[in-house]
Amino acid sequence: MVGFEAMVTYPGTGFLLNPVFLRAFSASLHLVLLLLLFVSWVRKRIKGGAPENCKRTRFLYYKQTFACCQGLSLLNLLLNGWSAERLVTLLDLVLRILAWGAVCVYLHTQFIGSVEPKFPFLLRVWWGFYFSISCYCLVLDIVKKHQSLRIQFLVPDIVYVTTGLFLCYSGFLGKNQVEESILREPLLNGSTSISRVESNKSKGEATVTPFSKAGFFSLLTFSWIGPLIAQGNKKTLDLEDVPQLDTSNSVVGVFPAFSNKLQCDSGGSSGVTTLKLVKALIFACWAEILLTAFLVLLNTLASYVGPYLIDTFVQYLNGRREFKNEGYLLAMAFFVAKLVECLSVRHWFFRMQQAGIRVRAVLITMIYNKGLTLSCQSKQGHSTGEIINFMSVDAERIGDFSRYMHHPWMLIVQVTLALLILYKNLGLASVAAFFATVIVMLTNVPLGKWQEKFQDKLMESKDKRMKATSEILRNMRILKLQGWEMKFLSKIVDLRKNETGWLKKYLYTSAVTTFVFWGAPAFVSVATFGTCMLLGIPLESGKILSSLSTFRILQEPIYSLPDVISMIAQTKVSLDRIASFLRLDDLPSDVIERLPKGSSDTAIEIVDGNFSWDLSSPNPTLKDINLRVCRGMRVAVCGTVGSGKSSLLSCMLGEVPKIYGILKLCGTKAYVAQSPWIQSGKIEENILFGKEMDRERYERVLDACSLKKDLEVLSFGDQTVIGERGINLSGGQKQRIQIARALYQNADIYLFDDPFSAVDAHTGTHLFKECLLGLLGSKTVIYVTHQVEFLPAADLILVMKDGRVTQAGKYNEILNSGTDFMELVGAHKKALSALNSVEAGSLSEKLSIYEDSDNIGGTSEVIEKEENKGGQNGKAEEIDGPKGKVGSRVYWKYVRTAYGGALVPFILLSEILFHLLQIGSSYWMAWASPVSDDVKPAVRGSTLIIVYVALAVGSSVCVLSTAMLLVTAGYKTATILFNKMHLCVFRAPMSFFDATPSGRILNRASTDQSTIDTNMPMQVGAFAFSLIQLLGIIAVMSQVAWQVFIVFIPVIATCIWYQQYYIPSARELSRLAGVCKAPVIQHFSETISGSMTIRSFDQESRFRDTNMKLVDGYVRPKFNIAGAMEWLCFRLDMLSSVTFAFSLVFLISVPEGVIDPGIAGLAVTYGLNLNMIQAWVIWNLCNMENKIISVERILQYTSIPSEPPLVIEENKPACSWPSHGEVDIQDLQVRYAPHMPLVLRGLTCTFLGGMKTGIVGRTGSGKSTLIQTLFRIVEPATGHITIDGTNISSIGLHDLRTRLSIIPQDPTMFEGTVRSNLDPLEEYSDEQIWEALDKCQLGDEVRRKEGKLDSAVIENGENWSMGQRQLVCLGRVLLKKSKVLVLDEATASVDTATDNLIQQALRQHFVNSTVITIAHRITSVLDSDKVLLLDHGLIEEYDTTTRLLENKSSSFAKLVAEYTVRSNSNLENAGDI
């Protein structure tokens, strides 16, 4: 400055500082520019336009540059009217207007067609000159001021410099973006144009995020996300609009390095510890961690510039000037520090969110991969629901922790800087501030420990609830049939009560923590100022304001400290849980010794094999197995229920841990499970299962599996989308699809676990002939079967009992060599003896008539429910929840849920009082303390402190009441919404569960409920809190200088516009993140349940890749949400910084003595926080909009249409109803949805009380639909059913379903005990339960178990065999002793001997009951009094069994004939095999 001033007096240089010279020089330059532009335009006109086939160029920042030039022209026009200067000034302004207007026209007309790589050389040179002149003028106006600086010169100078800088940047550093003009290309390139248009359709899929290639300026200002936000403002964003992640951010690129690091550190999964997991996670994002550490340090230093300079600023306003232009330098220092603070905090937040997204993705992938390799024993300890919680809650929490990662060390830096500033201002009193801060922090130690403990317990109880919820949703059909849903709902409510006990403790501890730390700044300042009074340190307003500003900045990290400690506690719990899960035992890899394909004639060999599902059990599952299967052999495995047949197949797959022995396997394998496992997706995808399409083989497989007829009926054939777990397929269709999947694989070894039990007799024969004897004639096939008629075709039969192979050999060899096989065959022959009345001579004739029928595979009545409700291709609805803006109704409902909203006014009042008292205490200190030593204080020191303490205590009480009221309202709201949603879900009709993947319901019950439990009340409170705080700051600033409103009003308007511009994109991105999360959970849930099938086909790597794609699909919206949030906050920060700068300049420009320096300093103190609070308000608003989606999604499920009432009091049937059990059906018509075709088309018949009725028919004839209508799972379209004269539609569902009994097709057991499975409603004594167990042949089995009736049943009853589960279902109905009993293919999963036992038990104990039987085994219905034969929803035959068998042309007689011929011929021909 001194040098510059000296230049003024230097001879010959004075004219350089003359304003007239500067104006003339500027006018000349603008005139030259005008002339050059005119010459350039004329030259172009003479040469002609741009070539026709040129590339269209759009320069980066073209729009901004154009707007900049336009703005300068308008500004000069305004100045022209404002100025009263001399002629030269007016001439300069006029030429500026014309020149910048000409530049605008030039850019718009001449420049768009340019093919140059940059802006024209002329413009770039001119912009350089313009920037230099503008800087010179600004410096001159600041330095050479003889009187006070006039604002009309300063404002244009600042604008000129800023625009000049931008124009230089865009001119010299901006690049162009080439867009081929499709219309201008030659016609020969038409194909290229079309392909380009095609490629644009899936731009989100094809394009990579602009972030990966963005320039420095774009990264700095987050402009790279601008196009997506703009698009979201024009239309509702879909997933295809969201660009793909680049390799450094996608899980595909990051996971391999993370996995390798973890493996190297741990030496295998068993060595994974929490510390090693943390090291691997840090390794995955070390670059972001280092960069953000630097940004955090920069931000911390910049944030303390303001408090450091406030005392100097107050002294400046009081008249103490150190040097000339000190005020402007102070303002510049404040402004630059604020800019640095804004930039660093925005990039810190974004980069940490980026790291969090990456961490979340690799953890989800790691958990998925682990779930795919878990041993069965490990899986028993962790249900699907628990593992889903690891992914949806724990991985999310660890990802969220990234935002808090730097807080612990940042807090130390901030406290140190604060103490240094306090020491500068208050001397030794800063020691008191230090001790007060330490006391506050130590208070948090026990609170933090309690929070960790409560969080741990909360997660444990949530796991239990989710485990139970997952199991209940999977078996909802059974619960509704039995009338148990309300009992199981009460079980969920009890689990939730336990969870909310810990939730309440956690929330109230959080409230106390909030009170401690909002009261902390007041406590620290009271201690500090009190010490000053005791030590006699003078308190001046400047020093007090500097200290208060320091306390306020220190308040932010201290306020966030409870959150940080809470997050550390929660994250540690989550890391421990995930690490312990990753340490679980995998399937042992040494069970199978794999031989190279074709290297041996032996396909499978087991020598002295002993295997056990539970290695700690003294009794192995399989004992002393010795077996050699040659290539091409057919091996049948048979035995009674629970003999170890399925375990033998599992051991060949390597699923059962080996105790000792040798197991060799040569060749690829395919497996068909007893319970069908079907993926949601197209039928074709399920059959191909990752293989390339071979159309010829595909068609052969469809023929062999009788699937062609089924596919023909479906609107979209094999492109029809199957619902979750094959929900829209019948049991037989699911079984045939999974057989087709195995056949298509063309493996060497096939393992079939009783696949023929779920299909009718004819289809079973067809499958056996076409698949096992036909397509697989040359393959090695091992099949478990209960149907004796399929045994003679085997080269080797293994008879199993108690885990041992008791007999082995060909059919005739073992028939006479032992009792076990004789028992099985004897039971089968006994069943066949009922057919002796049928003449053998007519059998072949009947069979031939039957074979001519083209009804081999009809469609299921259930598949006709095809999820066409959702629209095309039978696809289920893809978007989970409503789109568009969250309505105010949702906020209103949320706020009014607890106590009708009565607590809301009190919460707002407490918050307002808190801020008034806070501002009042600061105002009091600034007003009552002197500006300097020589000014007399307004009040005595003791009065000053007493009033301040009173105000501080008052504000602390307000914080406590706010926190407590918020927590109370939030807890009550969460409880009410949970109960409402679960009641509505449990009372929903079965069609809701058929159409809704369980992943969606689980997502609401876990993630959304978790948000409402812990986040939502704090989020709503934080928004109100920050808004009131912002209004307080505006009030303080405007009280000092109302002129701030000149800038503040347009800035606020711009902020609101930005927020409105941003919200549509942010909302849809947030919804997309929710929508894309459900497929990740659903895919994982499917993988866990089908892991054995996946491993048997060696498809693990394909499923891992699919999971990675789904995870990337989920993190894509998340990444862009983070970018969009920072895009908005950056712009809001810049705008608030401009407001702050304006207020500083105004305060400096005001003449001395007009404003009280202390109060002006107070305004600056609050102004320092303006950008942070303003951004906090908008951030809280946006975050609240994102979080409220969870409320909206749960409210959506509180309005699901309900089933009819459970009990109708005025129509309650008598206790003895039904007394006879007569079922009368009149003109019954049933469809699954109003737009669907009729499935039952006018049935009229009567099932007499006490009679046994068998229902038979092809797959898809309407058998299961009739039973569902009887239980009112489906309501009739017309017609009615009466039982003992009572119309079942007129009574409550609970009254109906609890009076009927059913043994369903899929035997279901729930996690719990044997007692809870037989008697979930706790209505019977132990003696009655034991009696029922003995009747169903399970008494001895249960007595052998250690816990007897209290012995454990694991998830899905997987520690019981399928046949044993079916017997438990029989035990339930024996306990219930209903007058109407339905058997829905109840004996499909048991051997013939057990089937005979079940039939005998039913005949003995249900002698006076009406028994309705749907059966695939003809023998199951032969002893029925009557048989009903359905065909395509109509009654084809209904008569007594004897009459139908006597009528040789009856369809039932043909069915019996075929079964008898097949069975007899197989047994007779056994000797030839």
Side-chain angles (χ1 to χ4, degrees), residues 968-1039:
T968 305
Y971 170 77
K972 183 72 175 173
T973 303
T975 307
I976 291 170
L977 288 178
F978 177 90
N979 291 337
K980 270 189 181 177
M981 181 183 83
H982 279 73
L983 179 63
C984 285
V985 167
F986 275 66
R987 291 284 293 113
M990 203 58 224
S991 56
F992 168 75
F993 299 96
D994 291 344
T996 309
S998 62
R1000 287 187 186 174
I1001 305 171
L1002 290 172
N1003 210 359
R1004 281 168 172 80
S1006 63
T1007 311
D1008 292 327
Q1009 188 62 48
S1010 194
T1011 300
I1012 289 174
D1013 284 347
T1014 53
N1015 296 354
M1016 201 62 216
M1018 301 306 175
Q1019 197 61 61
V1020 173
F1023 172 67
F1025 199 85
S1026 56
L1027 185 63
I1028 294 164
Q1029 196 171 358
L1030 178 65
L1031 294 171
I1033 290 175
I1034 294 167
V1036 170
M1037 290 180 73
S1038 58
Q1039 197 264 344

Side-chain angles (χ1 to χ4, degrees), residues 376 380 471 1309-1312 1352-1360:
C376 288
Q380 283 176 17
E471 185 177 47
M1309 289 180 78
F1310 299 91
E1311 186 172 12
V1353 176
I1354 65 167
E1355 191 179 16
N1356 294 331
E1358 283 178 8
N1359 55 343
W1360 293 65

Side-chain angles (χ1 to χ4, degrees), residues 890-903:
V890 176
Y891 290 95
W892 184 241
K893 273 191 175 181
Y894 177 76
V895 166
R896 292 189 69 246
T897 300
Y899 311 108
L903 295 182

